[in-house]
Structures are given as C-alpha cells and as structure tokens.
Amino acid sequence: MKMVNLIADQVTRLRQERGWTQEELSSRLQLAGWDISRSNLSKIENCTLYVPEFRLPYLAHVFHLPNLMPLFPVIDLQKPVHDAILRLIYNEKRGLVPDAAAPLCLKSKKFF
C-alpha cells in the first residue's frame, strides 16, 4: 500500500534546485546524523516511505531552511483545508485515487 508523504514533492524540488543527486542528499543527511540510504531517500521522494516528524529538522538543516514550513505544500487556509489535503493525498502520481462510491469521511480515514 502506498503511504502518504506530503513532503515528497518539496524534498525533490529542494534537492533538484541545489543540483544534488539523491546520493548527495543522503550523504549530507548522514553527516547531519540521519542514517539514510539513497534507496530510502528515493522511497521518500516516491511517497512509499513515511517520514516521521522528528526527521524533518534533518531535512531543514541540510537544505539550510529557516524553519520546517518550506518542506510542506502550500495550502490556502482561506479555502476548505480538508479539500486541499484530500487533493494532495488522492492523486494519480501517488497511486491513490478515491473510490467515488465511498463516503468522503471514510476515504480520508484510510490515511490519517
């Protein structure tokens, strides 16, 4: 089963903006104290490996981010948050497409 990983696209974007390979990023994360392989970093970027919140500071550190927020997708809080989260979770890139017959509240419970 595919995992939900909201930071996947941002990790990929930040890595590519810096011109780093997955191997380079995994090496930098290892130097920072997170023992992660290139293979597992690839799984993070492909949404198949969940990243617990205690690992986020490692990413912020190696990317030289001012805080953790750039790791997350931008969500317009003036619009319904639930709809925005479901759009991030249910998309074809992640292989998660909602069952149209299932009630909305039941679909979201699979992932939260």
Side-chain angles (χ1 to χ4, degrees), residues 77-89:
L77 297 177
Q78 303 303 312
K79 296 181 180 177
V81 173
H82 185 70
D83 292 343
I85 294 295
L86 289 179
R87 274 193 299 280
L88 291 167
I89 292 171

Side-chain angles (χ1 to χ4, degrees), residues 34-66:
W34 180 3
D35 187 19
I36 185 168
S37 66
R38 190 224 43 90
S39 175
N40 280 345
L41 181 59
S42 175
K43 291 175 184 176
I44 289 170
E45 290 188 10
N46 288 311
C47 303
T48 58
L49 182 65
Y50 174 73
V51 180
E53 65 273 2
F54 73 90
R55 295 292 189 192
L56 298 179
Y58 291 100
L59 290 164
H61 173 76
V62 299
F63 286 130
H64 302 287
L65 303 175

Side-chain angles (χ1 to χ4, degrees), residues 9-20 63 65:
D9 292 341
Q10 286 66 243
V11 170
T12 302
R13 179 185 52 79
L14 290 164
R15 179 180 60 76
Q16 290 174 344
E17 283 176 355
R18 287 154 178 77
W20 299 344
F63 286 130
L65 303 175

Side-chain angles (χ1 to χ4, degrees), residues 1 6 29 44 59 67 71 90 98 100 105 110:
M1 176 179 163
L6 293 180
L29 289 166
I44 289 170
L59 290 164
N67 55 55
L71 293 172
Y90 293 119
C105 62
K110 288 191 244 178

